[in-house]
Amino acid sequence: MLIIPAIDLKEGQCVRLKQGLMDQVTIFSNSPGEQARHWLDQGARRLHVVDLDGAFAGKPKNERAIKEIVKAVGDDIPVQLGGGIRDLDTIERCLDDGVSYVIIGTAAVKNPGVLHDACGAFPGHIIVGLDAKEGKVAVDGWSKMTGHDVIDLAKKYEDYGVEAIIYTDIGRDGMLTGVNIEATVKLAQALLIPVIASGGLAGIDDIRRLCAVEQEGISAAIAGRAIYDGSLDFAQAQAEADRVAAS
């Protein structure tokens, strides 16, 4: 299982939010490039980058910081990027800037035609981010709830040809209360494409619990607040995941 460090960007800085609330922000670094290099040095094999300003504005707002991150890791590891990516031109620009995977969230729900076209135009590079609370999907930086069922939407997107689904439990994100294993497994079992777990990763026990259900189709877990505040040692987490996989 891959453990993927998250870098959330707000006004060019690396931050973490609680439950997606822009007024519940903690700044961790003023240098996105240095932060990316730090995780690379710690053994990261992929980075998860979110343009928080972009998610709320509906278009990328931290392009300079994103380019810093891509430049800092070079060709060593892939970068997956989400936040305000809602049309084909933006996707193409992100890929041209060196991003390996583009995460489409709100646009996938509001305008599924864009997602369908993106999968055709950029095969192998499109990931869908589904953010949910109690099984229902949220959009617009988690500010609006929809009536859409997570599993129903994920199945539709799988048919489009997306590379993977990132599933985030909004109620747990940034709260260090543990990953919603049950809901993540339920989604993974309904799909053939990989599911990436997100939201609430709190400590090494969460890594072990996720590794125990990896065979259900959970390929990775995104680590955020826990690796920044020290409750989870990233290098130890990836080493533990590798140990379980090898045993």
Side-chain angles (χ1 to χ4, degrees):
M1 176 166 304
L2 211 57
I3 312 301
I4 307 175
I7 299 178
D8 289 359
L9 299 171
K10 184 177 186 293
E11 297 172 2
Q13 298 175 310
C14 303
V15 306
R16 293 303 297 170
L17 306 183
K18 283 188 178 180
Q19 295 184 305
L21 299 173
M22 289 294 261
D23 59 351
Q24 297 285 314
V25 61
T26 304
I27 297 170
F28 284 101
S29 173
N30 291 313
S31 174
E34 286 182 11
Q35 190 63 63
R37 175 59 64 175
H38 168 75
W39 294 128
L40 178 65
D41 292 343
Q42 290 287 308
R45 296 169 201 163
R46 185 186 292 199
L47 292 179
H48 175 79
V49 179
V50 180
D51 183 340
L52 294 171
D53 302 300
F56 283 87
K59 59 182 179 180
K61 290 289 187 178
N62 283 281
E63 290 184 75
R64 180 184 294 179
I66 292 161
K67 287 179 179 178
E68 276 184 40
I69 290 169
V70 171
K71 183 179 180 182
V73 299
D75 296 327
D76 293 332
I77 58 172
V79 172
Q80 59 189 42
L81 170 69
I85 301 171
R86 300 183 186 175
D87 58 65
L88 295 183
D89 287 343
T90 304
I91 294 170
E92 186 170 26
R93 192 164 73 247
C94 292
L95 295 175
D96 285 346
D97 285 344
V99 170
S100 298
Y101 302 99
V102 171
I103 303 162
I104 302 178
T106 293
V109 181
K110 288 187 166 184
N111 192 354
V114 168
L115 178 64
H116 186 274
D117 291 345
C119 289
F122 311 105
H125 294 282
I126 306 299
I127 293 173
V128 165
L130 287 178
D131 308 324
K133 193 171 187 178
E134 297 174 0
K136 300 300 180 183
V137 174
V139 295
D140 293 333
W142 302 354
S143 62
K144 298 175 185 174
M145 296 302 298
T146 74
H148 294 294
D149 180 79
V150 169
I151 291 177
D152 290 345
L153 279 184
K155 284 182 174 180
K156 182 167 76 170
Y157 301 155
E158 180 177 49
D159 290 341
Y160 288 177
V162 302
E163 186 73 8
I165 300 286
I166 297 174
Y167 174 67
T168 304
D169 185 320
I170 295 172
R172 302 195 183 208
D173 187 76
M175 302 302 289
L176 301 179
T177 52
V179 175
N180 190 334
I181 300 280
E182 184 181 357
T184 308
V185 167
K186 186 177 177 183
L187 177 61
Q189 288 174 336
L191 302 172
L192 295 176
I193 57 175
V195 170
I196 299 171
S198 174
L201 193 70
I204 199 71
D205 285 345
D206 278 326
I207 301 298
R208 295 181 180 123
R209 289 168 64 215
L210 281 167
C211 288
V213 295
E214 183 176 7
Q215 73 279 3
E216 301 292 349
I218 302 169
S219 65
I222 294 169
R225 179 172 289 273
I227 58 172
Y228 285 95
D229 71 6
S231 54
L232 178 66
D233 181 284
F234 171 77
Q236 181 189 3
Q238 186 62 70
E240 177 66 11
D242 292 344
R243 185 194 66 77
V244 173
S247 62

